[in-house]
């Protein structure tokens, strides 16, 4: 049995490599999504601020910011683990990890934490920049923090699964464009689901992104479309299911080991 | 002698294709061992199974006594594998890659001196801070070799490490490998440069169509399969006719030279008699010492 210090060093090295990987292309991995988020904020708040009030006493711009933060956080957590994996597979350098004693658990932890860190970094940067635009106090920091971490973890795990499955960059783009993008846009980032017709309200309840964004927003305003505890439970359930699947794929070496 | 690597009745199939078919092979600690075979013979599949990149269909493989599947962590700690494909990570420089690679094996700052030594021995010191993307093909190959050595493994497996690299690197690499071998490391080499294998490896295994077709001490293997080589230059060489006349001998035709592996020197006289009898004119004849290439061709011919 390899001692825990060696295992810890191995995990830390893989995590460090993953963090440095996205930091080396920080304009692409952090600056670009931050700019996109801020542009959404400026345009939507310019058009809709003062015309609509989603929650009582909360301006549309204030309502929008937590949604944009969470959407960017989730998209970037997914992008980090999935793009790193698919890139390593296509370029063949995944072999450098496969040849080592790194276990599937260590692999999972390192990729997961790196995904969460990138998501948080993007989300925090948007929050700080948005603070110059509008005063946005956080009512319940514990909720904000919990949903940010759990949401990043869920999408990071989903990214690991997608990265293992995809063999080509276009397959990964399909995931981004046909799964992640629609689910995040239709999750209540820009609106409250109560403004939707009853049928679409019901449909929205099947979208896990809705619970992540709604729970995260509760932390800012103490108001939400559904109970934050129910949201947390649902997101946690999704995370546990995807973690199980991800670990199973890594353990069996699906599409990684011949 | 202690065993370094043991392949026990290893099989690997891809659908109906049997890539490796029941190989039994033991490589001992401290050996400089050659694993030879034509393209598609199963050498890389064997190495990939040893590395844990490919799972065997049946059989067991052990590295330094550890099963590569059941005790894969311990087994991989003892292995340093240089993959055949020229792969690299474009985000990092050479030194970073080596430090990461050692870090995956739990090695930290205490290993930095060793990494500097590897860089020095493979003439990579000047490129230590160069991004992997900016290296030439030969330099990338050096970096790949360095990565396999970064955690100082007792067994080093080189899968065609000199394919497409210049003479200088080959000489540097082999000098380094000889030093490592003398200091107790087990070296396993696959190469298409048979002269290299002949000069470096004390023992050689030949694989063909997934089966082990030869395994012996290099010198014995060469002697056992051929006493001498006879090379004859023939006027107006008619391959079909010659092969028919000399059908009882091991004949190869290369660059219009008839090359015959003699099992004993008496065969020399028989061949000359046969050629004269069939009115075949030859204008040059010479005998040479046998080499691995002839043995390889004999052992792997269809």
């Amino acid at each position: 049995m390899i001692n825990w210090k060696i295992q810890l060093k191995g995990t830390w090295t893989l995590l460090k490599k993953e963090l440095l990987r996205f930091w080396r292309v920080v304009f692409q991995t952090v600056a670009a999504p931050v700019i996109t988020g801020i542009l959404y904020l400026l345009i939507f708040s310019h058009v809709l601020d003062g015309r609509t009030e989603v929650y009582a006493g909360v301006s549309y711009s204030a309502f929008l910011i937590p949604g944009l933060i969470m959407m960017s956080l989730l998209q970037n957590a997914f992008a980090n683990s999935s793009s790193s994996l698919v890139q390593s597979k296509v370029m063949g350098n995944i072999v450098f990890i496969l040849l080592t004693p790194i276990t599937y658990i260590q692999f999972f932890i390192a990729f997961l934490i790196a995904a969460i860190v990138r998501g948080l970094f993007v989300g925090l940067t948007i929050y700080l920049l948005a603070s110059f635009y509008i005063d946005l106090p956080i009512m319940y920091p514990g909720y904000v923090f919990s949903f940010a971490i759990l949401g990043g973890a869920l999408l990071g795990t989903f990214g690991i699964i997608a990265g293992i499955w995809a063999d080509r960059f276009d397959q990964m783009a399909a995931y981004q464009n046909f799964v992640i993008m629609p689910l995040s846009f239709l999750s209540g980032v820009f609106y409250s689901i109560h403004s939707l017709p009853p049928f679409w309200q019901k449909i929205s309840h099947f979208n896990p992104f809705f619970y992540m964004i709604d729970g995260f927003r509760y932390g800012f305003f103490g108001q939400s479309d559904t109970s934050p505890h129910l949201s947390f439970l649902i997101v946690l359930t999704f995370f546990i299911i995807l973690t199980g699947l991800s670990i199973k794929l890594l353990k069996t070496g699906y599409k990684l080991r011949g | 002698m202690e065993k370094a690597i043991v392949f026990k009745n290893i099989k690997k199939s891809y659908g109906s294709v049997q890539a490796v078919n029941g190989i039994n092979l033991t490589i001992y600690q401290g050996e400089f061992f050659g694993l030879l075979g034509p393209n598609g013979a199963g050498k890389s599949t064997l190495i990939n199974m040893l590395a844990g990149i490919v799972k065997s269909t049946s059989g067991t493989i052990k590295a330094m006594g550890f099963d590569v599947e059941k005790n894969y962590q311990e087994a991989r700690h003892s292995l340093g594998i240089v993959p055949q494909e020229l792969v690299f990570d474009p985000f990092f420089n050479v030194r970073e890659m080596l430090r990461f690679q050692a870090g995956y094996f739990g090695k930290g700052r205490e290993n930095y001196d060793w990494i500097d030594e590897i860089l020095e021995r493979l003439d990579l010191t000047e490129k230590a801070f160069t991004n992997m993307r900016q290296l030439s093909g030969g330099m990338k190959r050096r970096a790949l070799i360095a990565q396999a050595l970064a955690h100082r493994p007792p067994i080093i497996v080189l899968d065609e490490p000199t394919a497409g690299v210049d003479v200088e690197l080959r000489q540097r690499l082999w000098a380094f490998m000889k030093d490592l071998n003398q200091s107790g490391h087990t070296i396993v080499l696959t190469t298409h440069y048979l002269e290299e294998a002949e000069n470096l490896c004390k023992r050689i295994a030949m694989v063909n169509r997934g089966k082990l077709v030869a395994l012996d001490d290099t010198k014995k293997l060469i002697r056992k399969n051929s006493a001498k080589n006879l090379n004859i230059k023939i006027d107006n060489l008619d391959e079909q006719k010659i092969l028919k006349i000399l059908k009882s001998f091991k004949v190869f035709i290369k660059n219009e030279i008839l090359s015959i592996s003699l099992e004993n020197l008496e065969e020399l006289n028989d061949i000359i008699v046969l050629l004269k009898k069939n009115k075949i004119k030859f204008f040059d004849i010479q005998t040479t010492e046998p080499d691995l290439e002839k043995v390889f061709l004999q052992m792997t011919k269809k």
Side-chain angles (χ1 to χ4, degrees), chain B residues 150-168:
Chain B
H151 64 287
R152 220 170 182 153
I155 302 171
I156 299 157
V157 181
L158 303 131
D159 194 0
E160 296 187 27
T162 51
V165 299
D166 59 33
V167 179
E168 194 201 341

Side-chain angles (χ1 to χ4, degrees), chain A residues 1 24 93 96 252 257-258, chain B residues 52-53 55 74 88 96 101:
Chain A
M1 194 70 189
R24 288 281 152 90
N93 59 49
F96 298 139
T252 54
R257 298 181 193 273
Chain B
I53 295 171
K55 287 176 186 167
E74 290 85 347
F88 61 96
E96 283 170 336
Q101 204 61 31

Side-chain angles (χ1 to χ4, degrees), chain A residues 1-2 6-7 9-10 13-14 17 20-21 24 87 91-93 95-96 98-101 103 252 257-258, chain B residues 51-55 72-74 76-77 87-89 91-92 96 100-101 103-107 144 147:
Chain A
M1 194 70 189
I2 304 295
I6 290 176
Q7 309 241 28
K9 176 78 188 167
T13 304
L14 186 55
K17 191 214 81 168
L20 258 178
R21 191 196 66 85
R24 288 281 152 90
Q87 204 164 43
M91 295 203 67
N93 59 49
V95 75
F96 298 139
L98 299 180
L99 289 172
T100 70
T103 65
T252 54
R257 298 181 193 273
Chain B
I53 295 171
V54 168
K55 287 176 186 167
Y72 69 92
Q73 283 192 292
E74 290 85 347
R76 286 182 205 163
H77 262 281
V87 290
F88 61 96
D89 195 323
F91 291 95
F92 306 107
E96 283 170 336
F100 284 144
Q101 204 61 31
Y104 298 148
F105 290 83
K107 308 260 181 183
L144 209 54
Q147 273 181 260

Side-chain angles (χ1 to χ4, degrees), chain B residues 200-216:
Chain B
L200 292 161
C201 303
K202 293 256 167 51
R203 221 156 58 98
I204 278 175
M206 288 186 186
V207 180
N208 195 26
R209 296 181 191 177
K211 287 188 172 175
L212 198 66
V213 291
L215 172 65
D216 212 333

Side-chain angles (χ1 to χ4, degrees), chain B residues 170-183:
Chain B
R170 279 190 210 179
Q171 287 174 349
R172 267 182 173 270
L173 175 64
W174 296 137
F176 191 18
M177 289 303 136
K178 278 180 184 172
D179 286 352
L180 287 172
N181 183 234
Q182 275 166 10
S183 65

